[in-house]
C-alpha cells in the first residue's frame, strides 16, 4: 500500500515519530491511512456543517480497519462571489482544489480518500483529483439546503436574485425583498434548486463515485450523517477489493451521468465539469455526446429554476436511484457499470422505486420529449455553445433578435437595470470566457434581472461566459471560441441580427460571410483586464470552454 512507503522499516522511524507527536499509536500507524478531505468553512452555507459529517466518516473508517486522517482544502461560495470580482475566482478554484488534493495525497501517501465536500466547483474538483490519483475514493456530499417558504410558496436563491430585478422594475417593494431575504435560504446545505452544486452531487451518484442517496438527502437529516458513516466503511471495502476511480469512471459511466443530467434538467456547468473529469480519467468526451444523449433522453423531472420542484421533493420521490430506475426501464443507461458500493448499477437499483410520479415522471409522460441540455453550433459558435433548453420558455425556443453588445458582465448588468434593454434585443456579453474574463464568470445577476423584470420571454442573452445553475430563460453560454481568442462573438455589432434555433441546434449571426470574414481579419486582441497572481497564470494556462476549461498539457 502507498502508506508503507511512509511508515515501514528502520528508515521510517523519524516518520513514525512525527505521527506519534500527533497522538497516533503503533496500531493507528500500522493500519491503512485514509485521507478525509474536508472543505468545511464558515463562509459557505453548503460547508458550514461538514465537520459533523467528517466525524461520521472517521467512525466508518475506524470501524472497518482504517486510520482516518483529515485535511482541508479551499472553497468559493458562488452566491456570495456573484456579480463582482470574486466570481473570476470561482471556476479557477476548481484546478487549485484538484491540485491541492493531489499534493496532500501524494506527499503523505494515503491509501484511500473520502472527499467530504459540497457546492459548485468543489465537487467536480474532488472527482478530478480522485481520477488523477486513482486510489480508492468515495465522495460524500454535504447535501442540499431545504427550500425556503415565503407567502405560501417554496423559494430559493434563484428567487432572491430574480426579486432584485423585480424591485428594479417596480414589481416588488423593498420591504418585500427584505422579507424574502430572510426566508429564501433557511439553513445549511447547497442551494435548494437543481443548480450546479446539486446537479453535480446527483451526477457523482450517477457516475458511481458517491453512494446511493448522495445527491438528494437533505443536509439537515440524520440520514445524511448515516450516509457519511457508510462511506467511511465502504471505502475500506473498495481498498480491499482493489476498486479504484478509473474502474468506475468509464465511458459508459459518463454517459449514464449525462443521461441523468438531461433527465433532471441540470445545470449547463455540468458540461464543463464532466468534460474535465473525463479528461482526468482518460476518457474522451466532447460536446456532441451531450447533445446526442439529450436528444434521446426525455426530461422527466421539472426542477427549480425551470420548474416547481426542489431537491427535497426529489429525495422523497425516490432520489437519483429512482430516476435511474426509470431510465433503465427505457434502456437509456448502462446498468453494468461498477459503483462505489462495490456493486454494479443494476444491483443498486433493485430496491429503487418512484414514490411520486409527478416529481419523477414515467418516460411516456415526460415533461419534454428531449433532455434538458442542447448544444448549439453555427457561425457565431463554431466550436459550440450550451443552453438549458428545459428552462427556456416555448416562445423563445426559436427567435431572431437584434444584438446589444457588451464587453463585460458589469456593463450589461448596468444596461439591464437602467432599462436600456428592450423587447426583441439579444444581450451579447463577451470577453468573459475562461481566458478573457478571466475565469468565465457565472452571470446569474443579468439573467435573473431579465426574468425578474418580465423580459425573459422577449430578450435573449448570449455569452462566452457561463451561467449559474439557478439561471432560467433563453440564456446561451460557453460560446466558443471565446472573444479573447478571436472568436466570432468578438465582432458582433449593435443591431446585428442573431437567429437562435434551439430545436435545430443553430446559433447564427445573420451577416454576410464576407462581412464576417472582414471583421475577423480586422479584429485585434483587446488589452487584458488588469490582474495579477493566480488569475494571470490561469488565463495563460486555461483552454476553451468547449474543452471543459481544463489546463493545457504544457501547464499540467
Amino acid at each position: 500500500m502507498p502508506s508503507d512507503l511512509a511508515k515501514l522499516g528502520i528508515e521510517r522511524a523519524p516518520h513514525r515519530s512525527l505521527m506519534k507527536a500527533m497522538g497516533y499509536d503503533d496500531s493507528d500507524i500500522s493500519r491503512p491511512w485514509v485521507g478525509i478531505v474536508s472543505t468545511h468553512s464558515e463562509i459557505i452555507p453548503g460547508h458550514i456543517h461538514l465537520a459533523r459529517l467528517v466525524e461520521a466518516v472517521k467512525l466508518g473508517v475506524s470501524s472497518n480497519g482504517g486510520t482516518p486522517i483529515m485535511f482541508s482544502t479551499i472553497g468559493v461560495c458562488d452566491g456570495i462571489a456573484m456579480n463582482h470580482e470574486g466570481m473570476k475566482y470561482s471556476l479557477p478554484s476548481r484546478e487549485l482544489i484538484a491540485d491541492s488534493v493531489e499534493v496532500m495525497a501524494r506527499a503523505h501517501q494515503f491509501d484511500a480518500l473520502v472527499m467530504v465536500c459540497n457546492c459548485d466547483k468543489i465537487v467536480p474538483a474532488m472527482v478530478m483529483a480522485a481520477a488523477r490519483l486513482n486510489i480508492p475514493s468515495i465522495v460524500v456530499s454535504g447535501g442540499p439546503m431545504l427550500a425556503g417558504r415565503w407567502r405560501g410558496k417554496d423559494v430559493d436563491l434563484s428567487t432572491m436574485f430574480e426579486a432584485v430585478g423585480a424591485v428594479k422594475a417596480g414589481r416588488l417593494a423593498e420591504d418585500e425583498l427584505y422579507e424574502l431575504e430572510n426566508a429564501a435560504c433557511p439553513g445549511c446545505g447547497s442551494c435548494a434548486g437543481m443548480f450546479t452544486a446539486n446537479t453535480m452531487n446527483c451526477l457523482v451518484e450517477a457516475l458511481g463515485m458517491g453512494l446511493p442517496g448522495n445527491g438528494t438527502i437533505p443536509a439537515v437529516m440524520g440520514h445524511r450523517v448515516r450516509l457519511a458513516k457508510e462511506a467511511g466503511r465502504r471505502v475500506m471495502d473498495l481498498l480491499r477489493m482493489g476498486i479504484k476511480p478509473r474502474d468506475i469512471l468509464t465511458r459508459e459511466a459518463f454517459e449514464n451521468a449525462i443521461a441523468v443530467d438531461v433527465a433532471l434538467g441540470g445545470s449547463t456547468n455540468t458540461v464543463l465539469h464532466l468534460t474535465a473529469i473525463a479528461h482526468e480519467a482518460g476518457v474522451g468526451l466532447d460536446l456532441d455526446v451531450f447533445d446526442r444523449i439529450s436528444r434521446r433522453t426525455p426530461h422527466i423531472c421539472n426542477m427549480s429554476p425551470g420548474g416547481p420542484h426542489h431537491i427535497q421533493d426529489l429525495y422523497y420521490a425516490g432520489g437519483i436511484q429512482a430516476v435511474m430506475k426509470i431510465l433503465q426501464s427505457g434502456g437509456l443507461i448502462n446498468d453494468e457499470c461498477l459503483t462505489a458500493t462495490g456493486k454494479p448499477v443494476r444491483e443498486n437499483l433493485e430496491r429503487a422505486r418512484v414514490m411520486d410520479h409527478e416529481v419523477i415522471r414515467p418516460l411516456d409522460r415526460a415533461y419534454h420529449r428531449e433532455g434538458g441540455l442542447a448544444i448549439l453550433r453555427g457561425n457565431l459558435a463554431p466550436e459550440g455553445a450550451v443552453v438549458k433548453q428545459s428552462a427556456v420558455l416555448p416562445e423563445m425556443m426559436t427567435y431572431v433578435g437584434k444584438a446589444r453588445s457588451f464587453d463585460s458582465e458589469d456593463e450589461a448588468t448596468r444596461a439591464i437595470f437602467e432599462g436600456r434593454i428592450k423587447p426583441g434585443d439579444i444581450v451579447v456579453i463577451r470577453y468573459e470566457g475562461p481566458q478573457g474574463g478571466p475565469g468565465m464568470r457565472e452571470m446569474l445577476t443579468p439573467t435573473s434581472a431579465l426574468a425578474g423584470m418580465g423580459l425573459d420571454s422577449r430578450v435573449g442573452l448570449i455569452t462566452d461566459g457561463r451561467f449559474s445553475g439557478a439561471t432560467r430563460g433563453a440564456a446561451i453560454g460557453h460560446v466558443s471560441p471565446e472573444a479573447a481568442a478571436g472568436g466570432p462573438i468578438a465582432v458582433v455589432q449593435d443591431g446585428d441580427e442573431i437567429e437562435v434555433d434551439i430545436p435545430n441546434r443553430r446559433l447564427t449571426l445573420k451577416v454576410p460571410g464576407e462581412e464576417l470574414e472582414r471583421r475577423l481579419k480586422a479584429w485585434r486582441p483587446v488589452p487584458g483586464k488588469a490582474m495579477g497572481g493566480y488569475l494571470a497564470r490561469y488565463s495563460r494556462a486555461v483552454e476553451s470552454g468547449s474543452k471543459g476549461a481544463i489546463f493545457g498539457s504544457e501547464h499540467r
Side-chain angles (χ1 to χ4, degrees):
M1 288 190 294
S3 65
D4 291 346
L5 295 173
K7 67 188 180 188
L8 293 185
I10 295 172
E11 297 85 355
R12 297 299 182 258
H15 305 60
R16 295 191 295 272
S17 181
L18 289 169
M19 293 295 289
K20 290 176 179 180
M22 295 179 283
Y24 297 102
D25 60 23
D26 288 332
S27 177
D28 298 326
I29 296 169
S30 68
R31 291 195 294 263
W33 293 0
V34 180
I36 315 297
V37 189
S38 172
T39 57
H40 173 251
S41 74
E42 296 180 351
I43 190 61
I44 307 176
H47 296 195
I48 191 73
H49 62 302
L50 294 186
R52 185 182 182 198
L53 298 186
V54 167
E55 291 307 310
V57 173
K58 285 182 175 181
L59 285 172
V61 170
S62 297
S63 70
N64 203 10
T67 296
I69 303 172
M70 190 278 290
F71 64 91
S72 302
T73 187
I74 63 169
V76 171
C77 179
D78 283 14
I80 296 173
M82 195 71 67
N83 197 231
H84 56 78
E85 183 186 23
M87 182 48 69
K88 292 177 181 287
Y89 288 88
S90 175
L91 183 60
S93 74
R94 187 186 71 182
E95 315 309 311
L96 278 178
I97 294 165
D99 288 351
S100 68
V101 175
E102 176 195 350
V103 166
M104 291 294 289
R106 292 285 190 227
H108 302 102
Q109 293 297 306
F110 288 113
D111 299 306
L113 293 172
V114 179
M115 285 95 160
V116 183
C117 56
N118 220 350
C119 299
D120 301 55
K121 264 36 86 223
I122 297 100
V123 172
M126 294 294 178
V127 189
M128 289 168 65
R132 188 185 304 174
L133 291 162
N134 205 34
I135 58 176
S137 302
I138 294 181
V139 176
V140 178
S141 158
M145 184 185 292
L146 296 175
R149 194 77 176 160
W150 183 66
R151 298 189 175 182
K153 65 178 182 179
D154 287 344
V155 292
D156 55 37
L157 185 66
S158 66
T159 317
M160 276 306 313
F161 275 91
E162 290 182 15
V164 174
V167 170
K168 297 282 188 179
R171 302 169 68 193
L172 190 73
E174 286 192 40
D175 60 339
E176 293 177 302
L177 180 69
Y178 183 69
E179 282 181 26
L180 182 57
E181 175 185 327
N182 285 301
C185 299
C188 66
S190 46
C191 299
M194 190 57 74
F195 313 147
T196 305
N198 287 324
T199 306
M200 284 308 308
N201 288 335
C202 291
L203 298 194
V204 165
E205 182 177 337
L207 278 169
M209 287 297 295
L211 297 179
N214 181 75
T216 58
I217 300 169
V220 295
M221 287 189 172
H223 191 180
R224 176 62 58 181
V225 180
R226 299 197 302 273
L227 180 85
K229 195 181 300 182
E230 178 65 12
R233 287 193 288 263
R234 287 286 186 176
V235 80
M236 293 303 300
D237 293 339
L238 296 182
L239 181 60
R240 294 185 185 103
M241 297 166 72
I243 296 175
K244 299 177 181 178
R246 292 194 182 192
D247 300 319
I248 295 172
L249 295 171
T250 62
R251 169 75 177 210
E252 293 77 14
F254 282 102
E255 293 196 355
N256 283 353
I258 295 169
V260 170
D261 186 8
V262 299
L264 294 171
S267 166
T268 53
N269 284 316
T270 57
V271 177
L272 292 171
H273 298 322
L274 288 178
T275 303
I277 295 166
H279 177 77
E280 295 287 358
V283 174
L285 199 64
D286 60 31
L287 297 185
D288 292 335
V289 178
F290 289 85
D291 200 64
R292 172 173 56 81
I293 294 174
S294 191
R295 283 187 180 275
R296 77 182 188 206
T297 308
H299 175 222
I300 60 175
C301 299
N302 201 16
M303 311 296 295
S304 174
H309 300 132
H310 288 82
I311 307 299
Q312 66 210 47
D313 302 316
L314 184 57
Y315 167 71
Y316 287 118
I320 295 306
Q321 298 299 298
V323 172
M324 295 181 76
K325 185 92 168 184
I326 294 291
L327 296 179
Q328 179 193 40
S329 71
L332 295 169
I333 60 169
N334 184 316
D335 61 9
E336 295 302 322
C337 293
L338 190 61
T339 72
T341 64
K343 302 173 184 177
V345 169
R346 171 177 39 79
E347 291 188 37
N348 293 344
L349 296 184
E350 286 176 357
R351 298 177 63 185
R353 61 193 180 109
V354 178
M355 307 298 291
D356 186 327
H357 290 278
E358 193 60 26
V359 176
I360 305 173
R361 285 190 174 183
L363 296 174
D364 61 3
R365 200 167 60 85
Y367 286 99
H368 299 99
R369 183 178 58 83
E370 293 187 355
L373 297 178
I375 305 299
L376 311 184
R377 296 184 188 274
N379 67 348
L380 189 52
E383 295 178 6
V386 184
V387 63
K388 185 195 283 194
Q389 63 175 343
S390 58
V392 178
L393 293 170
E395 58 267 38
M396 295 298 285
M397 291 293 285
T398 58
Y399 64 96
V400 176
K402 291 193 174 181
R404 293 291 307 279
S405 297
F406 302 92
D407 288 349
S408 73
E409 177 193 3
D410 310 87
E411 293 176 22
T413 300
R414 281 195 299 271
I416 294 167
F417 282 144
E418 290 171 5
R420 290 187 276 129
I421 302 302
K422 306 298 181 185
D425 287 343
I426 293 181
V427 177
V428 177
I429 305 177
R430 57 197 177 198
Y431 296 104
E432 289 288 5
Q435 296 173 28
M440 207 178 188
R441 285 195 285 183
E442 288 185 346
M443 299 190 189
L444 182 55
T445 296
T447 56
S448 297
L450 290 172
M453 297 168 80
L455 291 172
D456 55 324
S457 63
R458 294 172 290 173
V459 172
L461 194 152
I462 297 172
T463 181
D464 56 5
R466 62 195 179 93
F467 300 112
S468 165
T471 288
R472 64 184 175 95
I476 298 167
H478 307 201
V479 171
S480 300
E482 63 175 287
I489 193 172
V491 298
V492 176
Q493 297 179 0
D494 282 358
D496 284 346
E497 284 194 338
I498 297 174
E499 181 178 11
V500 176
D501 185 349
I502 296 173
N504 291 305
R505 307 304 200 251
R506 302 298 299 170
L507 184 60
T508 306
L509 178 63
K510 294 175 71 69
V511 301
E514 322 84 73
E515 169 63 12
L516 180 57
E517 187 177 345
R518 184 193 65 76
R519 292 184 192 179
L520 288 169
K521 283 183 178 178
W523 176 83
R524 297 291 179 271
V526 299
K529 297 176 182 178
M531 60 180 179
Y534 178 56
L535 284 185
R537 299 196 301 276
Y538 180 86
S539 181
R540 292 192 295 268
V542 72
E543 293 199 0
S544 168
S546 65
K547 297 180 179 179
I550 59 173
F551 280 179
S553 56
E554 67 274 19
H555 298 285
R556 299 193 71 79

